[in-house]
Amino acid sequence: MNNIFTNNIKTIEYDALIIGGGGSGMRASLELAKSGLNTAVVSKVFPTRSHTVSAQGGITCAIASADPNDDWRWHMYDTVKGADFIGDQDAIEYLCSEGPKAVFELEHMGLPFSRFENGRIYQRPFGGQSKDFGKGGQASRTCAAADRTGHALLHTLYQNNVKEGTNFLNEWFAVDLVKNSKDEITGVIAFSIENGEVAYLKAQATVLATGGAGRIYASTTNALINTGDGLAMTLRAGLPAQDMEMWQFHPTGIYGAGSLVTEGCRGEGGYLINGDGERFMERYAPNVKDLAGRDVVARSMVLEILEGRGCGENKDHIFLKLDHLGADVLNSKLPGICELSRTFAHVDPIFEPIPVVPTCHYMMGGTPTNVSGQAFTRIYNEDKLIPGLFSAGEAACVSVHGANRLGGNSLLDLIVFGRATGQHIQNELKSGGGVDPATRSDIDNSLERLNKLNESTHGHDTADVKRELQECMQNYFGVFRRGEFMEKGLEQLNELREKVGNLYLKDKSDAFNTSRVEAIELQNLFEVAEATAISAYQRTESRGAHARDDYPDRDDENWLCHSIYDPVSKEVSKREVNFKPKEVEAFPPKVRSY
Amino acid sequence: MFENKLEVSLYRYNPEEDKFPYMKKYSIDKPSKDIMVLDLLNLLKEDDQSISYRRSCREGVCGSDGMNINGKNGLACITPLSSVLKKNKIELRPLPGLPVIRDLVVDMSEFYAQYEKIKPFLQNETTAPEQERLQSPEDRDKLDGLYECILCACCSTSCPSFWWNPDKFVGPAALLQAYRFLADSRDLKTSQRLEDLSDPFSVYRCHGIMNCVNVCPKGLNPNKAIGEIKSMLHKNKKDIIASDIN
């Protein structure tokens, strides 16, 4: 990395730059590569190692296969309700109505969906799904490739990008955004992990498709690479984040290991039992029981444990019972789960229940965008687009998931908005849109952080600080939150900021230096954690995944809104929720029960 | 060696510092419970930041952390220590046969190039219907055991034929994917695909050594898929000869 001390780095120029090679990034790049624009995907791992690969149960979409009368409006209703009414209804409408087209495209690309006897795509029931606007009983709307849907989807997208000749900068790490004097985004500073070469990747359009940041918590279903790199870049650039208090805790992470056990298990007929062997969800959600929203199920499980009805020696987990489904169903519909459970829980679900516990799973918040993936900031309480910057997938908050995401909606989010972002950029650039160049000093500004780390001669240890951060978030900002505890957490975060800003990079070598990567990732995690903590403290109500025992009720009068976190002032402001879908009547807020 | 200590022998190589690779020994307290090999590496890395390896999902689905563990290729994240420890010793090396970038990180370019060579995407130029293309459950079942490959390279880098001819022999991983598309009722380029594989090297360098089957962490069987390709090639050749005679 010697060359960067003089900041004499090379510039590589593209039309469009996509940061992240997961589902949304590769869906956007596919659109752009087909259009002939010079596009590159920058990914810190080989694309098929991205976290989309871990998605299991499926992609929820009203393709009317399991039920020929299924209707995307029913899917929209479920999603609005699941979001506890702070999802933007124009975006949810777009998600649900465009969904079938996007799913059929995936099938045409070769995705090996499981099938019904009639040859159509297999669909299974998932939590929070209904027919006829909640009046027609449980729907089966989640399209699946066994329980490996994310793997099948990600590989299919990579394969089709190979077909279309997309440029990949694999094992390159994007460090910071480059911003010109007009506050337009003109690309990123990035380095090759393999050989340490630093470059300014210049682009007319930069898409952040960097996924979630579940690693802010000590216990998470997320891959080790989920460190919120894109979102952290925007926060450092002074751009806002929306709904950061909204983190989904998945009811069934494997106890001790954190690996995800798909909601599809309960969709196929599995259910949760407490230490007394009771199917306790019958008490909390009498109608749909184990298929209530994830936030509802996760909270019920925690309450069972807190009230002394947990399972195991320490009564600190819950059992997921599957053995009654029989070996045939488990082997054909849930083979991956059987494998994971044997490996990580030392339990064969054909005979024994799986020990599970609510585990951090998904970030509903993120960089605020419109349905075309255009990122915006807030000026005098108005949305203002940021030229050159786009975001899609878990990194973005468009917002279709609001305060709680429904199972199977994240894969749909990836492909619908990855595609929309690609289409929008294509139109914009072909009609002459673009951004002004950055100056030498703009580029120097964005190199500061990397330079400081590379020049460090003493300071804090990455692994130690990371552990402290993750424990702080786990203790004070988990499934249940309380003001006085969060104050302690905020104090601890304040102390951690100094440490995170002064990490000591002992290994300065250029060849595949993973300790450099981990140090930068920790700084990214911290930005996301701080945004989460401040937003959670400010929202004085309980809604969706955000549950406060000092404010146990939903407060529509004051909080039927998005939260906008400003990283400069560290203050939280409110932004109105969109209640203006184009084709259907808006769904007004009502009591959310399952 | 004390009972409560583990001896880890780790392949180390940093091209900026080392003229040659070497094995470095680490002694570490034996964990109180059974952990995965990846957890062990993470523990070592906390003390020695300079150790380099790839990892991502830590649950055996992304394929990042293929390595040679006590002489056998496998994924570090789903290999319990208890299954590989020999007399409290463990030896970790990079996947064999590929150039080493650093420590346990290998250059996988040749492996990926073979994957791209088999055109790993569905080819069907007919106009797509408005909905999905139909496929019977029986036809879909033919893809089981094929599409689940995670491209970890454990199989190809355990294959002597791939070691000798990594540029010409497609290798078990990519051949498994070649068959995945040959077996897909929706793919229409069967004869073109077979023709591309009909040279003496691409498929026929496989001598049925079966290392691929032995090491696959997903329990897949590339050898069987290669057998299927060979019989399709054989049949294709007979069909061509028959049509020439007619």
Side-chain angles (χ1 to χ4, degrees):
Chain A
M1 292 230 168
N2 292 332
N3 54 353
I4 75 161
F5 296 120
T6 58
N7 287 353
N8 184 20
I9 59 169
K10 99 174 169 196
T11 300
I12 312 175
E13 201 168 339
Y14 300 98
D15 296 323
L17 193 60
I18 290 152
I19 318 295
S24 66
M26 287 208 288
R27 187 62 190 82
S29 66
L30 189 59
E31 209 62 33
L32 288 162
K34 279 196 280 192
S35 76
L37 289 170
N38 182 15
T39 309
V41 175
V42 180
S43 178
K44 65 178 177 179
V45 293
F46 183 76
T48 62
R49 325 288 183 212
S50 307
H51 187 52
T52 304
V53 82
S54 292
Q56 297 171 351
I59 176 165
T60 301
C61 186
I63 61 164
S65 168
D67 171 8
N69 298 317
D70 199 10
D71 191 318
W72 66 262
R73 293 164 192 88
W74 301 349
H75 181 199
M76 179 177 172
Y77 165 83
D78 291 342
T79 305
V80 169
K81 177 184 169 191
D84 218 347
F85 300 95
I86 62 161
D88 285 324
Q89 296 202 12
D90 58 340
I92 297 174
E93 178 184 48
Y94 186 83
L95 176 83
C96 299
S97 61
E98 283 290 300
K101 221 183 290 173
V103 169
F104 293 138
E105 281 169 3
L106 285 174
E107 195 282 331
H108 299 154
M109 286 180 214
L111 199 156
F113 282 111
S114 303
R115 302 286 173 155
F116 283 122
E117 278 306 319
N118 65 4
R120 293 208 61 191
I121 292 172
Y122 174 75
Q123 291 184 296
R124 61 163 55 111
F126 249 52
Q129 290 180 357
S130 76
K131 297 181 183 184
D132 195 17
F133 309 106
K135 295 180 295 236
Q138 177 74 38
S140 296
R141 195 173 288 129
T142 301
C143 312
D147 56 359
R148 304 186 178 98
T149 316
H151 169 277
L153 185 149
L154 190 67
H155 280 253
T156 301
L157 285 176
Y158 180 67
Q159 292 163 350
N160 280 269
N161 273 282
V162 167
K163 183 181 175 189
E164 299 299 337
T166 305
N167 297 310
F168 282 100
L169 293 174
N170 290 336
E171 297 184 329
W172 274 69
F173 194 101
V175 181
D176 267 310
L177 296 171
V178 176
K179 195 161 75 165
N180 68 19
S181 56
K182 288 163 71 181
D183 283 342
E184 299 170 328
I185 303 303
T186 68
V188 297
I189 298 295
F191 67 87
S192 155
I193 299 173
E194 183 178 334
N195 63 24
E197 182 191 12
V198 181
Y200 166 38
L201 308 178
K202 182 181 169 188
Q204 300 301 317
T206 302
V207 184
L208 299 176
T210 46
R215 287 281 154 184
I216 64 171
Y217 288 97
S219 170
T220 174
T221 65
N222 283 197
L224 293 156
I225 60 170
N226 282 25
T227 52
D229 303 330
L231 183 56
M233 286 193 265
T234 63
L235 292 169
R236 274 192 299 272
L239 303 170
Q242 180 169 270
D243 294 340
M244 286 308 296
E245 65 277 30
M246 300 303 178
W247 280 86
Q248 179 165 82
F249 288 79
H250 195 289
T252 54
I254 292 180
Y255 171 69
S259 303
L260 171 69
V261 176
T262 176
E263 186 168 309
C265 290
R266 284 170 282 137
E268 298 287 350
Y271 55 85
L272 298 163
I273 52 175
N274 62 19
D276 303 333
E278 181 203 4
R279 187 176 180 183
F280 59 89
M281 280 311 297
E282 288 178 338
R283 274 189 277 121
Y284 295 94
N287 296 318
V288 296
K289 305 179 181 92
D290 296 81
L291 289 178
R294 285 179 177 172
D295 55 330
V296 175
V297 180
R299 274 196 296 277
S300 311
M301 292 168 72
V302 172
L303 286 174
E304 288 300 299
I305 293 170
L306 288 176
E307 288 168 11
R309 291 189 296 276
C311 304
E313 209 173 303
N314 299 321
K315 300 190 171 194
D316 57 354
H317 56 272
I318 294 292
F319 280 142
L320 173 62
K321 186 172 147 51
L322 295 174
D323 57 294
H324 57 285
L325 300 178
D328 285 351
V329 170
L330 292 177
N331 288 329
S332 64
K333 298 285 178 10
L334 302 165
I337 292 307
C338 295
E339 203 180 303
L340 273 176
S341 173
R342 287 174 200 132
T343 308
F344 288 102
H346 309 293
V347 152
D348 188 337
I350 294 172
F351 306 107
E352 289 173 274
I354 309 174
V356 292
V357 70
T359 306
C360 166
H361 183 55
Y362 187 87
M363 174 175 87
M364 269 78 73
T367 300
T369 71
N370 62 18
V371 289
S372 304
Q374 294 175 281
F376 57 79
T377 184
R378 297 280 286 172
I379 304 282
Y380 301 119
N381 286 324
E382 294 285 332
D383 299 347
K384 183 178 175 290
L385 293 176
I386 305 158
L389 188 66
F390 300 80
S391 187
E394 191 172 344
C397 181
V398 55
S399 127
V400 288
H401 310 304
N404 172 61
R405 174 173 72 75
L406 289 189
N409 267 356
S410 63
L411 291 184
L412 190 65
D413 173 6
L414 302 186
I415 58 159
V416 166
F417 292 106
R419 177 176 175 266
T421 305
Q423 286 169 352
H424 177 88
I425 292 173
Q426 186 185 331
N427 294 337
E428 186 175 305
L429 296 190
K430 288 195 169 167
S431 59
V435 291
D436 285 356
T439 63
R440 181 66 176 266
S441 78
D442 296 332
I443 297 168
D444 284 349
N445 284 341
S446 302
L447 274 162
E448 247 173 48
R449 185 168 68 110
L450 184 60
N451 286 349
K452 181 175 176 187
L453 189 66
N454 285 330
E455 290 160 16
S456 62
T457 53
H458 60 281
H460 299 277
D461 178 74
T462 301
D464 292 343
V465 180
K466 193 194 294 176
R467 196 176 301 117
E468 258 185 85
L469 175 69
Q470 291 171 333
E471 277 168 15
C472 172
M473 294 305 291
Q474 191 77 30
N475 290 341
Y476 301 117
F477 304 94
V479 175
F480 283 105
R481 296 157 176 184
R482 186 187 295 175
E484 53 184 304
F485 292 156
M486 287 196 281
E487 280 166 18
K488 277 189 199 161
L490 284 164
E491 253 171 63
Q492 200 182 339
L493 286 175
N494 255 337
E495 288 161 24
L496 278 170
R497 175 167 277 285
E498 187 273 332
K499 292 186 186 175
V500 167
N502 292 291
L503 295 175
Y504 173 37
L505 182 68
K506 196 171 162 196
D507 179 1
K508 301 282 200 295
S509 62
D510 285 344
F512 221 98
N513 185 339
T514 49
S515 64
R516 177 179 290 126
V517 171
E518 287 182 20
I520 300 172
E521 287 176 335
L522 171 59
Q523 294 177 335
N524 291 340
L525 284 174
F526 181 82
E527 299 295 340
V528 177
E530 191 181 43
T532 299
I534 294 175
S535 306
Y537 183 67
Q538 292 298 330
R539 186 180 280 271
T540 47
E541 65 155 354
S542 290
R543 179 186 301 272
H546 179 63
R548 290 187 61 153
D549 50 15
D550 49 354
Y551 294 92
D553 299 320
R554 195 173 86 186
D555 176 3
D556 282 350
E557 201 174 312
N558 293 301
W559 287 105
L560 185 65
C561 61
H562 297 292
S563 69
I564 294 282
Y565 167 73
D566 176 350
V568 181
S569 66
K570 300 194 192 297
E571 280 168 5
V572 173
S573 57
K574 296 178 180 180
R575 176 173 172 262
E576 64 283 14
V577 172
N578 180 293
F579 280 96
K580 287 180 185 153
K582 284 185 181 145
E583 284 181 38
V584 296
E585 290 274 310
F587 297 103
K590 60 174 190 179
V591 174
R592 181 167 164 258
S593 65
Y594 284 101
Chain B
M1 202 72 221
F2 296 106
E3 289 256 313
N4 56 351
K5 287 273 182 189
L6 290 185
E7 190 184 300
V8 187
S9 180
L10 186 62
Y11 182 101
R12 300 299 314 264
Y13 175 65
N14 179 344
E16 289 165 36
E17 291 166 10
D18 308 319
K19 218 166 168 186
F20 301 103
Y22 60 98
M23 299 303 292
K24 185 169 177 180
K25 289 208 169 30
Y26 296 83
S27 177
I28 184 168
D29 288 341
K30 199 171 178 176
S32 54
K33 56 170 190 165
D34 197 12
I35 59 171
M36 300 294 171
V37 172
L38 178 64
D39 301 323
L40 174 73
L41 276 168
N42 292 341
L43 285 174
L44 291 177
K45 191 171 168 68
E46 284 191 12
D47 288 334
D48 181 352
Q49 285 186 21
S50 70
I51 301 171
S52 219
Y53 50 93
R54 294 187 176 104
R55 83 287 180 278
S56 172
C57 75
R58 61 82 177 93
E59 57 188 18
V61 293
C62 81
S64 296
D65 62 353
M67 60 187 65
N68 190 272
I69 305 165
N70 272 353
K72 188 179 168 186
N73 289 354
L75 293 179
C77 60
I78 53 169
T79 303
L81 271 187
S82 61
S83 71
V84 287
L85 273 186
K86 285 180 189 152
K87 293 182 179 163
N88 280 339
K89 284 185 187 170
I90 183 168
E91 192 173 279
L92 301 175
R93 294 171 176 270
L95 290 173
L98 295 176
V100 174
I101 296 173
R102 175 173 176 175
D103 299 340
L104 300 175
V105 179
V106 290
D107 180 350
M108 294 180 64
S109 312
E110 269 179 331
F111 174 79
Y112 294 137
Q114 292 297 350
Y115 175 65
E116 289 188 20
K117 203 157 93 184
I118 61 102
K119 300 202 174 84
F121 39 81
L122 193 83
Q123 296 183 76
N124 184 331
E125 307 302 331
T126 61
T127 311
E130 256 182 50
Q131 297 190 333
E132 71 269 48
R133 289 194 164 96
L134 299 181
Q135 184 173 47
S136 69
E138 294 72 34
D139 279 340
R140 169 59 184 74
D141 284 351
K142 291 175 186 157
L143 308 182
D144 282 341
L146 306 172
Y147 81 96
E148 300 94 323
C149 172
I150 57 172
L151 299 177
C152 65
C154 284
C155 62
S156 292
T157 61
S158 71
C159 173
S161 299
F162 189 74
W163 296 340
W164 308 146
N165 297 105
D167 53 337
K168 295 197 201 111
F169 173 51
V170 169
L175 286 171
L176 187 78
Q177 290 316 296
Y179 185 60
R180 177 247 174 277
F181 289 100
L182 285 167
D184 195 323
S185 61
R186 302 168 296 172
D187 191 278
L188 301 181
K189 288 281 165 119
T190 305
S191 50
Q192 186 62 51
R193 288 181 186 278
L194 288 173
E195 203 181 309
D196 292 347
L197 293 169
S198 62
D199 66 281
F201 279 90
S202 297
V203 180
Y204 288 110
R205 284 292 111 173
C206 168
H207 299 305
I209 300 167
M210 305 278 271
N211 283 359
C212 53
V213 185
N214 191 27
V215 299
C216 177
K218 304 307 285 182
L220 309 178
N221 189 334
N223 190 68
K224 185 161 170 261
I226 293 169
E228 300 285 354
I229 299 175
K230 282 181 179 170
S231 56
M232 285 177 92
L233 281 167
H234 188 62
K235 185 171 175 300
N236 202 39
K237 206 167 161 190
K238 276 207 300 204
D239 289 349
I240 291 168
I241 293 168
S243 69
D244 281 354
I245 292 167
N246 294 335

